[in-house]
Amino acid sequence: MRCKTTPFDTLNKYSGEFSGAFADLGTFLPLVLGLIALNHFSPQGIFTGFGLFALFTASYYRRPIPVQPMKVIAALVIAQGLTPGMLQASGIMMGVILLLLAYSGAISWMAKQLSPAVSIGIQLAIGIQLIWMGGQMITDSWFIGLFAFLALLLSRYLPLPFLAMPLVLALGMIWQFTSDIAPSFAISAQNQWQLSWPTFNEWSSAAVLLVLPQLALTLTNAVIATSAMAKDKFPEDNSQFNDRFSPKRLATSSGWANLLLAPIGATAMCHGAGGLAVQHHFGARTWLAPVIFGASCLLIAAFWGEAIARLLSLIPLAVLGSLLAIAGTQLAWSKRFIDGKPFCIVVILSTAAICLLVNTAAGLAVGVILEMGRRQWRIIADLTR
């Protein structure tokens, strides 16, 4: 006998989709607003790109697969004051590389070489980095940041847990509006949407400065780790004949999005395991969450002006940091820490440590080598029996 659905259940469901739609703002807004406020890039081009990519993702996956800026590229462009042409060139090149890896089958082969332990180690490292970055942002205003973090962390124990995120955002904006503290972002409404094409020097510089550092993180976190997490969150969507969240599909969707949208001013974009973790945590379960996010981005692009710029400026940096720290917490934790075998824990911790101390590519290499050594040891042990 089926239980009757109550209005309370319906409210929980749709509030979860709404909360999940904006749960990844801790990653999204600091980078996007940095490109707009500090580098004076076109907000129309950037928000249009995210809007179209999110709507496509909703129809393609039918689940809350996240849409994020490529973190390394965006951070380097902001920190070094690089040109819009270099950002555009990096997005196009990443799109081409991802499509080549997807259609050649190389990305599927790479995914098979990674054991769950290696993937979890990479997720642990990225989660720790997100927690650290979020903590740095929280220091902008300790009181509001810690309040937001604790409210979001404990929200699962509340009667309507999925309302916590929009309420925290609203309270943070009210606090910013009524306080004497200057907004963290000074966003101008005057940036214009300008279409151009990268110069030869911008292509070559972007390849070295942006694409190479980003590639390892994209392949591991945005493709392989996201695939593993999506299969874990939505096991009913996968079967022998329908691998909806395969690494090939994730690389394909990201590849085409960057190749087609970077020329109109979009920043380099991808999916991400951290975004999926936090969206799922706040209640996103269906295509509705990315539709809400995508439609909101398109509305911002269409009606960009002084009012929207001021409204976005009201979101406290500390609140964004709390969202980022929550995303990191969700990404870093795995049940393998409890039920994993000793060697599995060694691989996880070793991979994460090298990712943090060197870089993601080195951590990936160490994890794969350890797993290869374990397999060879098993083969030798079986032969000597």
Side-chain angles (χ1 to χ4, degrees):
M1 182 177 179
R2 291 185 176 179
C3 297
K4 186 177 180 181
T5 302
T6 66
F8 185 83
D9 295 329
T10 302
L11 176 62
N12 247 348
K13 174 184 175 182
Y14 287 107
S15 63
E17 297 296 336
F18 182 84
S19 295
F22 302 106
D24 199 26
L25 291 183
T27 301
F28 176 79
L29 279 181
L31 295 175
V32 168
L33 298 186
L35 290 170
I36 296 171
L38 303 178
N39 295 68
H40 307 294
F41 287 6
S42 165
Q44 294 95 333
I46 291 175
F47 280 107
T48 297
F50 279 109
L52 294 176
F53 189 19
L55 293 181
F56 170 77
T57 297
S59 65
Y60 191 57
Y61 295 105
R62 311 296 293 175
R63 291 292 189 183
I65 300 300
V67 171
Q68 301 177 330
M70 289 189 179
K71 302 176 187 67
V72 175
I73 288 178
L76 288 174
V77 169
I78 293 170
Q80 300 182 23
L82 303 181
T83 65
M86 289 182 65
L87 181 65
Q88 185 182 48
S90 66
I92 295 172
M93 284 188 282
M94 286 297 301
V96 171
I97 292 171
L98 288 171
L99 290 175
L100 288 174
L101 292 173
Y103 290 124
S104 67
I107 193 68
S108 300
W109 178 85
M110 292 173 61
K112 291 178 181 178
Q113 307 312 306
L114 293 186
S115 69
V118 177
S119 179
I120 292 169
I122 293 170
Q123 292 178 43
L124 173 60
I126 296 172
I128 292 173
Q129 290 173 332
L130 294 180
I131 293 170
W132 175 258
M133 292 169 60
Q136 295 294 104
M137 293 161 66
I138 287 174
T139 60
D140 187 69
S141 179
W142 278 107
F143 174 76
I144 191 69
L146 288 177
F147 168 79
F149 177 78
L150 291 175
L152 294 171
L153 188 65
L154 300 176
S155 62
R156 64 176 65 188
Y157 305 108
L158 299 176
L160 292 173
F162 307 134
L163 292 180
M165 199 277 296
L167 286 175
V168 165
L169 270 180
L171 290 174
M173 294 171 75
I174 293 171
W175 172 83
Q176 180 71 70
F177 181 76
T178 56
S179 70
D180 296 328
I181 301 174
S184 303
F185 294 98
I187 303 173
S188 172
Q190 305 304 316
N191 298 354
Q192 298 299 316
W193 195 351
Q194 297 178 346
L195 300 179
S196 60
W197 192 250
T199 65
F200 176 80
N201 287 335
E202 286 175 329
W203 283 104
S204 57
S205 297
V208 175
L209 296 177
L210 301 177
V211 174
L212 289 179
Q214 177 68 56
L215 190 57
L217 181 61
T218 296
L219 295 179
T220 52
N221 179 53
V223 177
I224 296 172
T226 303
S227 172
M229 179 170 287
K231 291 175 182 179
D232 179 64
K233 300 292 186 185
F234 307 109
E236 65 274 16
D237 288 358
N238 289 281
S239 66
Q240 182 181 356
F241 305 102
N242 179 30
D243 193 359
R244 181 182 294 186
F245 307 117
S246 68
K248 179 179 179 178
R249 283 174 65 92
L250 290 164
T252 301
S253 58
S254 296
W256 280 117
N258 283 290
L259 186 61
L260 298 176
L261 297 175
I264 68 169
T267 185
M269 299 176 292
C270 62
H271 305 297
L276 176 57
V278 74
Q279 287 185 17
H280 191 274
H281 172 77
F282 282 105
R285 297 292 185 272
T286 71
W287 54 268
L288 189 57
V291 165
I292 293 171
F293 176 75
S296 300
C297 288
L298 291 179
L299 287 173
I300 290 174
F303 297 101
W304 179 263
E306 194 66 36
I308 293 178
R310 288 183 178 178
L311 184 64
L312 291 176
S313 298
L314 287 177
I315 302 176
L317 188 65
V319 172
L320 294 177
S322 68
L323 288 171
L324 195 59
I326 289 291
T329 302
Q330 294 298 315
L331 183 60
W333 173 249
S334 171
K335 61 182 180 181
R336 288 294 179 95
F337 295 127
I338 298 175
D339 58 17
K341 296 180 180 179
F343 188 83
C344 177
I345 301 297
V346 170
V347 173
I348 292 173
L349 296 180
S350 299
T351 302
I354 300 302
C355 285
L356 292 171
L357 295 174
V358 186
N359 56 45
T360 306
L364 172 63
V366 167
V368 170
I369 291 171
L370 287 173
E371 281 294 327
M372 291 174 62
R374 180 182 64 84
R375 292 170 187 168
Q376 292 298 319
W377 178 265
R378 279 188 174 181
I379 292 173
I380 295 173
D382 289 341
L383 291 175
T384 55
R385 286 178 182 174

